Amino acid sequence: MAEIIQRDGTWTFDGSTVRIVPGKDKGVGLLRRTLGEIAVPLEALAGISFEAGRKSGRLRLRLRDGADPLLQITGGRLGDSSEPYCLTVEKDRFGVAEYLVDEVRNALLLDQVDPGPIDRYLLPGPALPITVGAGDATVSFDGERIRLEWNWKTEESKSSGGPRTLPLDDVEGVEWLPSRGLENGYLRFLVTRMPTSTPAKHDPHAVDLYGFRKDPLMALVGAAVVARLPHPRAAASPEGRLPGAGPAEIPVRASGAGPVQAPGAASATDTTDAAGGPGGPGHGSDDHDALLRRLRELGELHQSGILTAEEFATAKQAILGRL
């Protein structure tokens, strides 16, 4: 098991899951503290990196597009203090961070996790029920209904209709945008058959956000709702793969390098893998014959030039350690 403990938080990897626990440092954003512990399955990862600086470094997880409802709604617009998949690492722990990166990359390599987009959520989203007050409203969601209650900052054109309750079945999408400069942000629930271009301050299905401290928490409400709506790629990929998707990719071990295409490599959705059953190495007892077959496959990839000598040596050592 690999673990790194910092004031910014604690990351632990047990071979199948990266567990992220936010720290209590003043630099940890309210969204991260409210979200709490996150368990990221290996299947949800597209990669991991460590960026060393003069005084501190950054450990970053990169998730597969479509795997996390929070990232689905925020679209990379969260600030550093709110970003749950980034950890500030002190200089005396650079070696520990690099070791964790190596362990995760080895697991991705051995399990042949496809780093491409996915058509189902692999993380559950924020826990329910959830209630957040920010901007011009307080929003509650219990898994079936969304309730918006207005406050004294709400425009009369919106508050005059009273609190608004939306059944989840009536919602077809959610939009979240943080405030930027002089422009307000918003959380908007898109209601079936009711397209709107009304500004959020007048839209009875939206929360107007002014850029205050609690604004990012509205993204948690949005993510909780999104997690219970049909995945946006599900209709386009009924068999679990995106149209036109190629063979599985093997994430390379070298820092900063992109994935290498492996013609004929087993897909991450194959039912039989290196452990002789679903889930791959680290999921149940290792079958020696299956591990030997995987070793031969990696040797063939190395001989054909798909894997470098360093990548093959790393994978080989990890397999031999399980035999």
Side-chain angles (χ1 to χ4, degrees):
M1 185 175 75
E3 181 178 63
I4 182 167
I5 302 174
Q6 295 289 273
R7 290 180 298 176
D8 198 30
T10 298
W11 287 19
T12 306
F13 179 59
D14 62 3
S16 62
T17 304
V18 178
R19 296 192 179 277
I20 300 175
V21 179
K24 298 181 179 180
D25 187 71
K26 63 181 180 180
V28 178
L30 184 59
L31 182 147
R32 288 171 59 192
R33 297 201 302 270
T34 303
L35 184 59
E37 180 177 336
I38 307 174
V40 186
L42 189 66
E43 185 186 3
L45 292 181
I48 185 172
S49 64
F50 176 64
E51 306 157 5
R54 293 184 60 186
K55 295 183 178 180
S56 63
R58 285 291 180 93
L59 194 57
R60 297 181 185 274
L61 280 184
R62 184 165 59 89
L63 272 63
R64 297 172 65 182
D65 189 14
D68 180 17
L70 178 60
L71 295 184
Q72 184 73 29
I73 190 174
T74 56
R77 295 185 292 264
L78 287 175
D80 285 347
S81 65
S82 297
E83 172 57 59
Y85 302 114
C86 180
L87 181 73
T88 300
V89 180
E90 298 171 6
K91 193 170 184 178
D92 62 349
R93 290 294 181 270
F94 281 8
V96 180
E98 291 168 352
Y99 173 72
L100 188 143
V101 168
D102 284 344
E103 289 294 295
V104 174
R105 284 179 175 170
N106 288 345
L108 289 171
L109 179 66
L110 291 175
D111 279 16
Q112 295 190 354
V113 175
D114 184 346
I118 193 168
D119 64 353
R120 66 187 188 281
Y121 294 121
L122 298 177
L123 282 84
L128 296 180
I130 184 170
T131 299
V132 172
D136 66 352
T138 295
V139 184
S140 302
F141 178 54
D142 62 3
E144 296 180 358
R145 291 173 296 276
I146 303 163
R147 183 170 176 80
L148 299 94
E149 299 184 29
W150 316 117
N151 58 37
W152 63 273
K153 298 186 288 292
T154 310
E155 293 285 336
E156 185 177 356
S157 60
K158 186 160 65 172
S159 62
S160 60
R164 184 65 59 117
T165 299
L166 298 173
L168 184 61
D169 289 344
D170 289 350
V171 177
E172 62 180 14
V174 185
E175 296 177 346
W176 176 82
L177 187 70
S179 58
R180 287 287 186 269
L182 299 178
E183 296 185 4
N184 288 356
Y186 60 82
L187 173 69
R188 190 192 308 273
F189 300 101
L190 306 177
V191 180
T192 307
R193 298 181 300 279
M194 290 184 64
T196 180
S197 57
T198 305
K201 67 178 181 179
H202 298 300
D203 186 352
H205 302 137
V207 180
D208 199 21
L209 301 175
Y210 308 125
F212 296 147
R213 177 172 171 267
K214 290 187 176 181
D215 280 11
L217 296 184
M218 279 296 176
L220 296 182
V221 178
V225 174
V226 164
R228 288 154 183 85
L229 294 177
H231 195 285
R233 289 194 178 89
S237 180
E239 296 181 357
R241 287 190 65 83
L242 297 177
E249 293 180 336
I250 301 178
V252 299
R253 185 173 182 273
S255 176
V260 176
Q261 191 72 22
S267 165
T269 57
D270 283 350
T271 57
T272 303
D273 48 35
H283 302 264
S285 60
D286 290 334
D287 182 278
H288 285 204
D289 291 340
L291 289 175
L292 289 173
R293 286 196 300 272
R294 177 59 59 84
L295 189 58
R296 286 194 295 270
E297 291 171 1
L298 291 172
E300 293 170 359
L301 292 174
H302 173 48
Q303 291 176 2
S304 62
I306 294 174
L307 292 180
T308 66
E310 181 185 3
E311 293 159 3
F312 173 65
T314 301
K316 177 181 176 182
Q317 187 61 37
I319 291 178
L320 292 177
R322 296 187 180 189
L323 284 172

